[in-house]
């Protein structure tokens, strides 16, 4: 809601308010005589206002992406809450807040034995559950140690820029939403065609380049 309000209010300030009249308004009488708002704000759009319009379109697309992401997050949270209540016997947030993580893991291990939720293997250990949760982070660490993300950057670009939240927010879905199949295993074409991953990175770079303007 905050992002939507910021976009709408900023759009109104940029395109509907006549700032020349506002700056020329020095008294109550002059303000009454001046039109502080454009009657037709989109009739004459110059280069500057066109650039701003393009920026607002990008911001609106970003807001839509946030809405979609929030919807998926809420759906996953609802499914997780239902699973915790029905399978793990954790019926409230207060009950979960008083439990240690090891107890939750032990219940997951027990449920896997009686009502398997992991179809790749029969049993799960606490270490395997931790590895599943930290899988993406572990791969990011491995890519960092291998120098895959920042070793080929030009000398004038600091390596730390490759690990900002914005960059990682693009890299994570680019790699992990394509690397794994529905069973959580590596896709064969991901392993055999690294050139395709390079093409995806180039396309992502071209798509996100205009976002540097706002």
């Amino acid at each position: 809601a905050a992002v939507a309000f910021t976009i709408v209010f900023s759009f109104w300030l940029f395109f509907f308010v006549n700032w020349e009249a506002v700056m020329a308004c020095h008294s109550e009488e002059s303000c009454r005589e001046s039109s502080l708002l454009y009657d037709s704000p989109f009739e004459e759009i110059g280069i500057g206002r066109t650039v701003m319009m393009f920026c607002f379109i990008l911001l609106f697309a970003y807001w839509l992406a946030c809405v979609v992401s929030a919807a998926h997050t809420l759906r996953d949270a609802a499914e997780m809450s239902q699973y915790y209540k029905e399978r793990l016997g954790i019926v409230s947030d207060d009950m979960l807040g008083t439990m240690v993580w090891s107890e939750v893991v032990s219940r997951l291990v027990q449920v896997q034995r009686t009502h398997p939720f992991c179809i790749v293997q029969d049993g799960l250990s606490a270490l395997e559950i931790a590895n599943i949760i930290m899988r993406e982070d572990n791969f990011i660490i491995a890519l960092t140690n291998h120098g895959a993300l920042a070793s080929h950057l030009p000398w004038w670009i600091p390596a730390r820029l490759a690990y900002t939240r914005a960059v990682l927010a693009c890299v994570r879905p680019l790699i992990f939403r394509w690397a794994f199949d529905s069973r959580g295993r590596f896709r064969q074409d991901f392993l055999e065609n690294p050139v395709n991953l390079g093409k995806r990175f180039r396309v992502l770079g071209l798509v996100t380049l205009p976002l540097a303007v706002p």
Side-chain angles (χ1 to χ4, degrees), residues 30 37 53 92 116 132 147-148 169 182:
S30 62
L37 297 177
M53 177 67 75
S92 66
I132 293 173
S182 59

Side-chain angles (χ1 to χ4, degrees), residues 178 189-190 192-202:
W178 176 49
D189 56 342
F190 176 82
E192 296 178 353
N193 298 308
V195 177
N196 290 340
L197 181 61
K199 292 180 180 179
R200 292 169 69 91
F201 269 99
R202 294 185 184 93

Side-chain angles (χ1 to χ4, degrees), residues 28-212:
E28 184 176 353
E29 290 75 12
S30 62
C31 291
R32 288 179 178 176
E33 296 175 356
S34 303
S35 178
L36 303 182
L37 297 177
Y38 290 111
D39 296 329
S40 301
F42 304 109
E43 282 188 357
E44 297 181 1
I45 299 181
I47 297 178
R49 290 164 67 87
T50 301
V51 172
M52 291 305 304
M53 177 67 75
F54 179 70
C55 293
F56 276 110
I57 292 175
L58 293 178
L59 290 174
F60 181 71
Y62 168 75
W63 178 77
L64 287 179
C66 290
V67 171
V68 173
S69 177
H72 285 292
T73 301
L74 290 176
R75 182 197 61 187
D76 294 341
E79 293 177 354
M80 187 181 302
S81 176
Q82 183 179 4
Y83 186 85
Y84 266 54
K85 292 176 182 178
E86 295 180 356
R87 295 296 185 182
L88 302 185
I90 304 175
V91 296
S92 66
D93 293 337
D94 294 333
M95 181 178 179
L96 179 62
T98 59
M99 298 176 63
V100 295
W101 172 243
S102 58
E103 184 176 353
V104 177
V105 172
S106 65
R107 295 193 182 196
L108 286 172
V109 173
Q110 184 63 31
V111 169
Q112 174 64 20
R113 296 172 182 170
T114 56
H115 302 85
F117 59 88
C118 179
I119 61 176
V120 178
Q121 59 190 61
D122 295 331
L124 283 176
S125 64
L127 178 60
E128 290 170 331
I129 292 176
N131 288 336
I132 293 173
I133 296 174
M134 297 293 297
R135 177 173 56 181
E136 292 187 7
D137 293 320
N138 289 336
F139 274 110
I140 293 294
I141 294 173
L143 291 173
T144 301
N145 294 335
H146 192 266
L149 297 178
S151 61
H152 298 290
L153 291 176
W155 62 270
W156 46 272
I157 298 181
R160 66 177 181 272
L161 292 181
Y163 300 98
T164 60
R165 294 182 61 182
V167 173
L168 292 179
C170 296
V171 170
R172 284 179 180 271
L174 179 70
I175 297 178
F176 302 118
R177 299 299 179 271
W178 176 49
F180 303 107
D181 58 17
S182 59
R183 301 183 64 183
R185 296 179 175 180
F186 273 110
R187 297 166 57 95
Q188 198 64 28
D189 56 342
F190 176 82
L191 298 175
E192 296 178 353
N193 298 308
V195 177
N196 290 340
L197 181 61
K199 292 180 180 179
R200 292 169 69 91
F201 269 99
R202 294 185 184 93
V203 172
L204 178 68
L206 292 175
V207 171
T208 56
L209 181 60
L211 295 178

